[in-house]
Amino acid sequence: MSPNIPELREKEEPVEGAEPVPKFVWFSIVALVVWGFAYFLLYTGSPDEIGGDMRTAPVPAVAGAAVDGAAVYGTRCAACHQADGKGIAGAFPPLAGSPWPTGDAGVPIRLVLHGLQGPIDVLGTPYQGVMPAFAAQLSDAEIAAVVTHVRGSFGNAAGPVTEAQVAEVRAATAGRKGAWTAAELKAP
């Protein structure tokens, strides 16, 4: 039988000591450091790449050089209208098979220059949103290239647009302050 002494029933006070870090923590730290160095060494090949950034730098436009409409579409339009031109149901209208870019060439030029706001019906589906204006960001050649790309891609078979057509529409609509509405454009 054990004695019933209060000192014997008490537990030891907790102690903060210099207990070793668990081995799995050390292993994890070392593995992450080794992986980081290996990644940096393997994926940094040229002085143009910084810390594994292997994206290609954009090529500046050269005066008189042809502009790639697909590249302009990929950087400016594909986020909303998607790479295949089918848009996002209920949010961003499709360009594939749509009469908006394939009818009168002035309509898509106006849309790209000044944007679109408000309701629009595309292929029987209503959309409500805003398309930004690109007049300040894109040159006439870039707008002509991207509109030509859209008019001839995604199953569309409309003719090309020239830089002169874009310049003409830009000059005619230079005083416009806001985005177009579908009712103003009346494309389909």
Side-chain angles (χ1 to χ4, degrees):
M1 196 155 126
S2 63
N4 196 2
I5 303 172
E7 288 83 17
L8 294 177
R9 285 183 286 160
E10 288 186 22
K11 298 192 188 292
E12 288 185 31
E13 290 289 324
V15 183
E16 286 187 32
E19 296 173 11
V21 176
K23 290 180 183 176
F24 76 92
V25 172
W26 280 114
F27 177 76
S28 299
I29 291 170
V30 169
L32 285 172
V33 168
V34 168
W35 174 81
F37 278 117
Y39 181 86
F40 189 78
L41 292 175
L42 289 173
Y43 293 104
T44 304
S46 74
D48 296 334
E49 297 170 8
I50 299 172
D53 186 359
M54 295 173 43
R55 295 175 290 179
T56 57
V59 178
V62 177
V67 177
D68 183 6
V72 175
Y73 180 85
T75 58
R76 302 291 183 154
C77 313
C80 298
H81 295 290
Q82 302 300 293
D84 59 3
K86 293 183 180 176
I88 298 175
F92 302 107
L95 300 174
S98 170
W100 285 91
T102 58
D104 173 26
V107 171
I109 294 170
R110 285 180 186 83
L111 285 172
V112 174
L113 282 171
H114 301 289
L116 179 77
Q117 186 168 354
I120 184 172
D121 185 277
V122 179
L123 301 174
T125 304
Y127 292 88
Q128 176 73 33
V130 176
M131 177 178 158
F134 291 101
Q137 291 113 5
L138 298 176
S139 68
D140 292 347
E142 290 171 315
I143 293 173
V146 74
V147 171
T148 297
H149 172 71
V150 169
R151 288 169 58 87
S153 300
F154 319 123
N156 298 336
V161 171
T162 65
E163 191 174 342
Q165 286 175 290
V166 175
E168 182 181 321
V169 173
R170 186 187 294 263
T173 61
R176 184 155 189 97
K177 298 293 182 203
W180 295 99
T181 65
E184 289 176 305
L185 295 172
K186 300 176 188 156

